[in-house]
Coordinates of all heavy atoms in Angstrom, one line a residue:
N1 N 93.0 113.4 114.1 CA 92.2 113.3 115.3 C 90.8 113.8 115.1 O 89.9 113.3 115.8 CB 92.9 114.1 116.4 CG 94.1 113.5 116.9 OD1 94.3 112.3 116.8 ND2 95.0 114.3 117.5
A2 N 90.6 114.8 114.2 CA 89.2 115.3 114.0 C 88.3 114.2 113.5 O 87.2 114.1 113.9 CB 89.3 116.4 113.0
L3 N 88.8 113.3 112.6 CA 88.0 112.2 112.1 C 87.7 111.2 113.2 O 86.6 110.6 113.2 CB 88.7 111.5 110.9 CG 88.7 112.3 109.6 CD1 89.5 111.5 108.6 CD2 87.3 112.5 109.1
E4 N 88.6 111.0 114.1 CA 88.3 110.1 115.2 C 87.3 110.7 116.2 O 86.4 110.0 116.7 CB 89.6 109.7 115.9 CG 90.5 108.8 115.1 CD 91.9 108.6 115.7 OE1 92.0 108.9 116.9 OE2 92.7 108.1 115.0
D5 N 87.5 112.0 116.5 CA 86.6 112.6 117.5 C 85.2 112.9 116.9 O 84.3 113.0 117.7 CB 87.3 114.0 117.9 CG 88.6 113.7 118.7 OD1 88.8 112.6 119.2 OD2 89.3 114.7 118.9
Y6 N 85.2 113.2 115.6 CA 83.9 113.6 115.0 C 83.7 112.8 113.7 O 83.7 113.3 112.6 CB 83.9 115.1 114.7 CG 84.2 115.9 115.8 CD1 85.5 116.5 116.0 CD2 83.2 116.2 116.8 CE1 85.8 117.3 117.1 CE2 83.6 117.0 117.9 CZ 84.8 117.5 118.0 OH 85.1 118.3 119.1
P7 N 83.4 111.5 113.9 CA 83.3 110.6 112.7 C 82.1 110.9 111.8 O 82.1 110.6 110.6 CB 83.1 109.2 113.3 CG 82.7 109.4 114.7 CD 83.2 110.7 115.1
A8 N 81.1 111.7 112.2 CA 80.0 112.0 111.4 C 80.1 113.4 110.8 O 79.1 113.9 110.2 CB 78.7 112.0 112.3
T9 N 81.3 114.0 110.8 CA 81.4 115.3 110.3 C 81.1 115.4 108.8 O 81.4 114.4 108.1 CB 82.9 115.9 110.6 OG1 83.0 117.2 110.0 CG2 83.9 115.0 109.9
K10 N 80.6 116.5 108.3 CA 80.3 116.7 106.9 C 81.6 117.0 106.1 O 81.6 116.9 104.9 CB 79.3 117.8 106.7 CG 79.8 119.1 107.1 CD 78.8 120.2 106.9 CE 79.3 121.5 107.5 NZ 79.1 122.6 106.6
D11 N 82.7 117.2 106.8 CA 84.0 117.6 106.2 C 84.9 116.3 106.1 O 86.1 116.5 105.9 CB 84.7 118.7 106.9 CG 84.0 120.0 106.9 OD1 83.4 120.3 105.8 OD2 84.0 120.7 107.9
K12 N 84.3 115.2 106.2 CA 85.1 113.9 106.2 C 86.0 113.8 104.9 O 87.2 113.4 105.0 CB 84.2 112.7 106.3 CG 84.9 111.4 106.5 CD 83.9 110.3 106.7 CE 83.8 110.0 108.2 NZ 83.0 108.8 108.5
E13 N 85.5 114.1 103.8 CA 86.2 114.0 102.5 C 87.4 115.0 102.5 O 88.6 114.6 102.2 CB 85.4 114.3 101.3 CG 86.1 114.1 100.0 CD 85.2 114.4 98.8 OE1 84.0 114.7 99.0 OE2 85.7 114.2 97.7
H14 N 87.2 116.2 102.9 CA 88.3 117.2 103.0 C 89.3 116.8 104.0 O 90.5 116.9 103.7 CB 87.7 118.6 103.3 CG 88.7 119.7 103.3 ND1 89.3 120.1 102.1 CD2 89.3 120.4 104.3 CE1 90.2 121.0 102.4 NE2 90.2 121.2 103.8
L15 N 88.9 116.4 105.2 CA 89.9 116.0 106.2 C 90.7 114.8 105.7 O 91.9 114.7 105.9 CB 89.2 115.7 107.5 CG 88.6 116.9 108.2 CD1 87.7 116.4 109.4 CD2 89.6 117.8 108.6
S16 N 90.1 113.8 105.0 CA 90.8 112.7 104.5 C 91.8 113.1 103.4 O 92.9 112.6 103.3 CB 89.8 111.7 103.9 OG 89.0 111.2 104.9
F17 N 91.4 114.1 102.6 CA 92.3 114.6 101.6 C 93.5 115.2 102.3 O 94.7 115.0 101.8 CB 91.6 115.6 100.7 CG 92.5 116.6 100.0 CD1 93.2 116.1 98.9 CD2 92.7 117.9 100.4 CE1 94.0 116.9 98.2 CE2 93.5 118.7 99.7 CZ 94.2 118.2 98.6
L18 N 93.3 116.0 103.3 CA 94.4 116.6 104.0 C 95.3 115.6 104.7 O 96.5 115.9 104.7 CB 93.8 117.6 105.1 CG 93.1 118.8 104.6 CD1 92.6 119.6 105.7 CD2 94.1 119.7 103.7
I19 N 94.8 114.5 105.1 CA 95.7 113.4 105.6 C 96.6 112.9 104.5 O 97.8 112.8 104.8 CB 94.8 112.3 106.2 CG1 94.1 112.7 107.4 CG2 95.7 111.0 106.4 CD1 93.1 111.7 107.9
V20 N 96.1 112.7 103.3 CA 97.0 112.2 102.2 C 98.0 113.3 101.9 O 99.2 113.0 101.7 CB 96.1 111.9 101.0 CG1 97.0 111.5 99.8 CG2 95.1 110.8 101.3
K21 N 97.6 114.5 101.7 CA 98.5 115.6 101.3 C 99.5 115.9 102.4 O 100.7 116.0 102.0 CB 97.7 116.9 101.1 CG 98.5 118.0 100.5 CD 97.7 119.1 100.0 CE 98.6 120.2 99.4 NZ 97.8 121.3 98.9
S22 N 99.2 115.9 103.6 CA 100.2 116.1 104.7 C 101.2 115.0 104.8 O 102.4 115.2 105.0 CB 99.5 116.4 106.0 OG 98.8 115.3 106.5
S23 N 100.7 113.7 104.6 CA 101.6 112.6 104.6 C 102.6 112.7 103.4 O 103.8 112.4 103.6 CB 100.8 111.3 104.4 OG 101.6 110.2 104.3
Y24 N 102.1 113.1 102.3 CA 103.0 113.3 101.1 C 104.0 114.4 101.4 O 105.2 114.2 101.1 CB 102.1 113.7 99.9 CG 102.8 114.3 98.7 CD1 103.7 113.4 98.0 CD2 102.7 115.6 98.3 CE1 104.3 113.9 96.9 CE2 103.3 116.1 97.2 CZ 104.1 115.2 96.5 OH 104.8 115.7 95.4
L25 N 103.6 115.5 101.9 CA 104.6 116.6 102.2 C 105.6 116.2 103.3 O 106.8 116.5 103.2 CB 103.9 117.9 102.6 CG 103.0 118.5 101.5 CD1 102.2 119.6 102.1 CD2 103.8 119.0 100.4
Y26 N 105.1 115.4 104.2 CA 106.0 114.9 105.3 C 107.0 114.0 104.7 O 108.2 114.0 105.0 CB 105.1 114.2 106.3 CG 105.9 113.6 107.5 CD1 106.7 114.3 108.3 CD2 105.7 112.2 107.8 CE1 107.3 113.8 109.4 CE2 106.4 111.6 108.9 CZ 107.2 112.4 109.7 OH 107.8 111.8 110.7
A27 N 106.6 113.1 103.8 CA 107.5 112.1 103.1 C 108.6 112.9 102.3 O 109.7 112.5 102.4 CB 106.7 111.2 102.2
L28 N 108.1 113.9 101.6 CA 109.1 114.6 100.7 C 110.2 115.4 101.5 O 111.3 115.5 101.1 CB 108.4 115.7 99.9 CG 107.5 115.2 98.7 CD1 106.9 116.3 98.0 CD2 108.3 114.3 97.8
N29 N 109.8 115.8 102.7 CA 110.7 116.5 103.6 C 111.4 115.7 104.6 O 112.0 116.2 105.5 CB 110.0 117.7 104.3 CG 109.5 118.7 103.3 OD1 110.4 119.3 102.6 ND2 108.2 118.9 103.1
S30 N 111.3 114.4 104.4 CA 112.0 113.4 105.4 C 113.4 113.2 105.0 O 113.8 113.5 103.9 CB 111.2 112.1 105.3 OG 109.9 112.2 105.8
V31 N 114.2 112.6 105.9 CA 115.5 112.2 105.6 C 115.4 111.0 104.6 O 114.5 110.3 104.5 CB 116.3 111.7 106.9 CG1 116.5 112.9 107.8 CG2 115.6 110.6 107.6
E32 N 116.5 110.9 103.8 CA 116.5 109.9 102.7 C 116.1 108.5 103.2 O 115.4 107.7 102.5 CB 117.9 109.8 102.1 CG 118.2 111.1 101.3 CD 117.3 111.3 100.1 OE1 117.0 110.4 99.3 OE2 116.8 112.5 99.9
E33 N 116.6 108.1 104.4 CA 116.4 106.7 104.9 C 114.9 106.4 105.2 O 114.5 105.3 105.2 CB 117.2 106.5 106.2 CG 118.7 106.6 106.1 CD 119.2 108.0 106.1 OE1 118.6 108.9 106.7 OE2 120.2 108.2 105.4
K34 N 114.1 107.5 105.4 CA 112.7 107.3 105.7 C 111.7 107.6 104.5 O 110.5 107.3 104.6 CB 112.3 108.2 106.9 CG 113.0 108.0 108.2 CD 112.4 106.8 108.8 CE 113.0 106.6 110.2 NZ 112.4 105.6 111.0
K35 N 112.2 108.1 103.5 CA 111.4 108.5 102.4 C 110.5 107.4 101.8 O 109.3 107.6 101.6 CB 112.2 109.3 101.3 CG 112.5 110.7 101.6 CD 113.1 111.4 100.5 CE 113.3 112.9 100.9 NZ 113.8 113.7 99.8
I36 N 111.2 106.3 101.5 CA 110.4 105.2 100.8 C 109.3 104.8 101.7 O 108.1 104.6 101.3 CB 111.3 104.0 100.4 CG1 112.3 104.5 99.3 CG2 110.5 102.8 100.0 CD1 113.3 103.4 98.9
E37 N 109.6 104.6 103.0 CA 108.5 104.1 103.9 C 107.4 105.1 104.0 O 106.2 104.8 104.0 CB 109.2 104.0 105.3 CG 108.3 103.7 106.4 CD 109.0 103.7 107.8 OE1 110.2 103.5 107.8 OE2 108.3 103.9 108.8
R38 N 107.7 106.4 104.0 CA 106.7 107.4 104.2 C 105.9 107.7 102.9 O 104.7 108.0 102.9 CB 107.3 108.7 104.7 CG 107.8 108.4 106.2 CD 108.5 109.6 106.8 NE 108.8 109.2 108.2 CZ 109.7 109.9 108.9 NH1 110.2 111.0 108.5 NH2 109.9 109.5 110.2
L39 N 106.6 107.5 101.8 CA 105.9 107.6 100.5 C 104.9 106.5 100.3 O 103.8 106.6 99.8 CB 106.9 107.7 99.3 CG 107.7 109.0 99.2 CD1 108.9 108.8 98.3 CD2 106.8 110.1 98.7
T40 N 105.3 105.3 100.8 CA 104.5 104.1 100.7 C 103.2 104.3 101.6 O 102.1 104.0 101.3 CB 105.2 102.9 101.2 OG1 106.4 102.7 100.3 CG2 104.4 101.6 101.1
S41 N 103.4 104.9 102.8 CA 102.3 105.2 103.7 C 101.4 106.2 103.0 O 100.1 106.1 103.2 CB 102.8 105.8 105.0 OG 103.5 104.9 105.7
T42 N 101.9 107.2 102.3 CA 101.0 108.1 101.6 C 100.2 107.4 100.6 O 99.0 107.7 100.5 CB 101.9 109.2 100.9 OG1 102.7 109.9 101.8 CG2 101.0 110.1 100.1
L43 N 100.7 106.4 99.9 CA 100.0 105.6 98.9 C 98.9 104.8 99.6 O 97.8 104.6 99.0 CB 100.9 104.8 98.1 CG 101.9 105.5 97.1 CD1 102.8 104.5 96.5 CD2 101.1 106.3 96.1
E44 N 99.2 104.4 100.8 CA 98.1 103.6 101.5 C 97.0 104.5 102.0 O 95.8 104.2 101.9 CB 98.8 102.9 102.7 CG 99.7 101.8 102.4 CD 100.5 101.3 103.5 OE1 100.3 101.7 104.7 OE2 101.4 100.4 103.3
Y45 N 97.4 105.8 102.4 CA 96.3 106.7 102.8 C 95.5 107.1 101.6 O 94.3 107.2 101.6 CB 96.9 108.0 103.3 CG 97.5 107.9 104.7 CD1 98.8 108.3 105.0 CD2 96.7 107.4 105.8 CE1 99.3 108.2 106.3 CE2 97.2 107.3 107.1 CZ 98.5 107.7 107.3 OH 99.0 107.6 108.6
Y46 N 96.1 107.2 100.4 CA 95.4 107.5 99.2 C 94.5 106.3 98.8 O 93.3 106.6 98.5 CB 96.4 107.7 98.0 CG 95.7 107.8 96.7 CD1 95.0 108.9 96.3 CD2 95.7 106.7 95.8 CE1 94.4 109.0 95.1 CE2 95.1 106.7 94.6 CZ 94.4 107.9 94.2 OH 93.8 107.9 93.0
S47 N 94.9 105.1 99.0 CA 94.1 104.0 98.7 C 92.8 104.0 99.6 O 91.7 103.7 99.1 CB 94.9 102.7 98.9 OG 94.1 101.6 98.6
D48 N 93.0 104.3 100.9 CA 91.9 104.4 101.8 C 90.9 105.5 101.4 O 89.7 105.3 101.4 CB 92.4 104.6 103.2 CG 93.1 103.5 103.8 OD1 93.0 102.3 103.3 OD2 93.8 103.7 104.8
F49 N 91.5 106.6 100.9 CA 90.7 107.7 100.5 C 89.8 107.3 99.3 O 88.6 107.6 99.3 CB 91.6 108.9 100.1 CG 90.8 110.1 99.6 CD1 90.4 111.1 100.5 CD2 90.6 110.2 98.3 CE1 89.7 112.2 100.0 CE2 89.9 111.3 97.8 CZ 89.4 112.3 98.7
K50 N 90.5 106.7 98.3 CA 89.7 106.3 97.1 C 88.6 105.2 97.4 O 87.6 105.2 96.7 CB 90.7 105.8 96.0 CG 91.5 106.8 95.4 CD 90.7 108.0 94.8 CE 90.0 107.5 93.5 NZ 89.2 108.6 93.0
E51 N 88.9 104.4 98.4 CA 87.9 103.4 98.8 C 86.6 104.1 99.3 O 85.5 103.7 99.1 CB 88.5 102.5 99.8 CG 87.6 101.3 100.1 CD 88.3 100.3 101.1 OE1 89.4 99.9 100.7 OE2 87.7 100.1 102.1
K52 N 86.9 105.2 100.1 CA 85.8 105.9 100.8 C 85.1 106.9 99.8 O 83.9 107.2 99.9 CB 86.3 106.6 102.0 CG 86.7 105.6 103.1 CD 87.3 106.4 104.3 CE 87.8 105.4 105.3 NZ 88.7 106.1 106.3
F53 N 85.9 107.5 98.9 CA 85.4 108.6 98.1 C 85.9 108.3 96.6 O 86.8 108.9 96.1 CB 86.0 109.9 98.5 CG 85.8 110.2 100.0 CD1 86.8 110.0 100.9 CD2 84.5 110.6 100.4 CE1 86.6 110.3 102.2 CE2 84.3 110.8 101.8 CZ 85.3 110.7 102.7
P54 N 85.2 107.3 95.9 CA 85.7 107.0 94.6 C 85.6 108.1 93.6 O 86.4 108.2 92.7 CB 84.8 105.8 94.2 CG 83.7 105.7 95.2 CD 84.1 106.6 96.4
K55 N 84.7 109.0 93.7 CA 84.6 110.2 92.8 C 84.7 111.4 93.7 O 83.8 111.7 94.4 CB 83.3 110.1 92.0 CG 83.2 108.9 91.1 CD 82.0 109.0 90.2 CE 81.9 107.7 89.5 NZ 82.0 107.9 88.1
S56 N 85.8 112.1 93.6 CA 86.1 113.2 94.5 C 86.5 114.4 93.7 O 87.1 114.3 92.6 CB 87.2 112.8 95.5 OG 87.6 113.9 96.2
A57 N 86.3 115.5 94.3 CA 86.7 116.8 93.7 C 88.3 116.9 93.8 O 88.9 117.7 93.1 CB 86.1 118.0 94.4
Y58 N 88.9 116.1 94.6 CA 90.3 116.2 94.8 C 91.1 115.2 93.9 O 92.3 115.1 94.1 CB 90.6 115.9 96.3 CG 90.0 116.8 97.2 CD1 88.9 116.4 98.0 CD2 90.4 118.1 97.4 CE1 88.3 117.3 98.9 CE2 89.8 119.0 98.2 CZ 88.8 118.6 99.0 OH 88.2 119.5 99.9
D59 N 90.4 114.5 93.0 CA 91.0 113.4 92.2 C 92.2 113.9 91.4 O 93.2 113.3 91.4 CB 90.0 112.8 91.3 CG 89.1 111.8 92.0 OD1 89.4 111.4 93.1 OD2 88.1 111.4 91.4
S60 N 92.1 115.1 90.8 CA 93.2 115.6 90.0 C 94.5 115.9 90.8 O 95.6 115.5 90.5 CB 92.8 116.8 89.2 OG 92.5 117.9 90.0
E61 N 94.3 116.5 92.0 CA 95.5 116.8 92.8 C 96.1 115.5 93.4 O 97.3 115.4 93.4 CB 95.1 117.8 93.9 CG 96.3 118.2 94.7 CD 96.0 119.4 95.7 OE1 94.9 119.9 95.7 OE2 96.9 119.7 96.5
L62 N 95.2 114.6 93.8 CA 95.7 113.4 94.4 C 96.4 112.5 93.3 O 97.3 111.8 93.6 CB 94.5 112.6 95.0 CG 94.0 113.2 96.3 CD1 92.8 112.5 96.8 CD2 95.1 113.3 97.4
G63 N 95.9 112.6 92.1 CA 96.5 111.9 91.0 C 97.9 112.3 90.8 O 98.8 111.5 90.6
G64 N 98.2 113.6 90.9 CA 99.5 114.1 90.8 C 100.4 113.7 91.9 O 101.6 113.3 91.8
I65 N 99.8 113.6 93.1 CA 100.6 113.2 94.3 C 101.0 111.7 94.2 O 102.1 111.3 94.4 CB 99.7 113.4 95.6 CG1 99.7 114.9 95.9 CG2 100.3 112.6 96.8 CD1 98.8 115.2 97.1
V66 N 100.0 110.9 93.7 CA 100.3 109.4 93.5 C 101.4 109.2 92.5 O 102.4 108.5 92.7 CB 99.0 108.7 93.1 CG1 99.4 107.3 92.6 CG2 98.1 108.6 94.3
K67 N 101.4 110.0 91.3 CA 102.4 109.8 90.3 C 103.8 110.2 90.9 O 104.8 109.6 90.6 CB 102.1 110.7 89.1 CG 101.0 110.2 88.2 CD 100.7 111.1 87.1 CE 99.5 110.6 86.3 NZ 99.2 111.5 85.2
D68 N 103.8 111.3 91.6 CA 105.0 111.8 92.2 C 105.6 110.8 93.2 O 106.8 110.6 93.3 CB 104.9 113.2 92.8 CG 106.2 113.8 93.1 OD1 107.1 113.9 92.2 OD2 106.4 114.3 94.2
C69 N 104.7 110.2 94.0 CA 105.1 109.2 95.0 C 105.8 108.0 94.3 O 106.8 107.6 94.7 CB 103.9 108.7 95.9 SG 103.4 109.9 97.2
N70 N 105.1 107.5 93.3 CA 105.6 106.4 92.6 C 106.9 106.7 91.9 O 107.9 105.9 92.0 CB 104.6 105.9 91.6 CG 103.4 105.2 92.2 OD1 103.6 104.4 93.2 ND2 102.2 105.4 91.7
R71 N 107.1 107.9 91.3 CA 108.3 108.3 90.7 C 109.4 108.4 91.7 O 110.5 107.9 91.5 CB 108.1 109.6 90.0 CG 109.3 110.0 89.2 CD 109.0 111.3 88.4 NE 108.1 112.2 89.1 CZ 108.5 113.3 89.7 NH1 109.6 113.8 89.5 NH2 107.6 114.0 90.4
N72 N 109.1 109.0 92.8 CA 110.2 109.1 93.9 C 110.6 107.7 94.5 O 111.8 107.5 94.7 CB 109.6 110.0 95.0 CG 109.8 111.5 94.7 OD1 110.9 111.9 94.5 ND2 108.7 112.2 94.8
I73 N 109.6 106.9 94.6 CA 110.0 105.5 95.1 C 110.9 104.8 94.1 O 111.9 104.2 94.5 CB 108.7 104.7 95.4 CG1 108.0 105.3 96.6 CG2 109.0 103.2 95.6 CD1 106.6 104.7 96.9
Q74 N 110.6 104.9 92.9 CA 111.4 104.3 91.8 C 112.8 104.9 91.8 O 113.8 104.1 91.8 CB 110.8 104.5 90.4 CG 109.6 103.6 90.2 CD 109.0 103.8 88.8 OE1 109.3 104.8 88.1 NE2 108.2 102.9 88.4
Q75 N 112.9 106.2 91.9 CA 114.2 106.8 92.0 C 115.0 106.4 93.2 O 116.2 106.1 93.1 CB 114.1 108.3 91.9 CG 113.7 108.8 90.6 CD 113.4 110.3 90.6 OE1 113.4 111.0 91.6 NE2 113.2 110.9 89.4
L76 N 114.4 106.3 94.3 CA 115.0 106.0 95.6 C 115.5 104.5 95.6 O 116.5 104.2 96.2 CB 114.2 106.3 96.8 CG 113.9 107.8 97.0 CD1 112.8 108.1 98.0 CD2 115.2 108.5 97.5
T77 N 114.7 103.7 95.0 CA 115.1 102.2 95.0 C 116.3 102.0 94.0 O 116.9 101.0 94.2 CB 113.9 101.3 94.6 OG1 113.3 101.7 93.4 CG2 112.8 101.3 95.7
K78 N 116.5 102.8 93.1 CA 117.6 102.7 92.2 C 118.9 103.1 92.8 O 120.0 102.7 92.4 CB 117.4 103.5 90.9 CG 116.4 103.0 90.0 CD 116.2 103.9 88.8 CE 115.1 103.4 87.9 NZ 114.9 104.2 86.8
K79 N 118.9 103.9 93.9 CA 120.1 104.4 94.6 C 120.8 103.3 95.4 O 120.3 102.4 95.9 CB 119.8 105.5 95.5 CG 119.4 106.8 94.7 CD 119.2 107.9 95.7 CE 118.8 109.2 94.9 NZ 118.6 110.3 95.8

């Protein structure tokens, strides 16, 4: 909501990072039936983040999140 209410904020990058991270944590703590859908949403938020901030201080942490999302999606689709 902060990004919608204050689109010109100087903390846009940090807030966008928090959206990706919170989506990831939400997906990990979801029921099995919802995990793939929510992990996929996290990857979409990440894609939006990278489009807006191609070189970010959060790249290393987000890279780990993306790898983990992809790994979890692969494991869940095998079940």
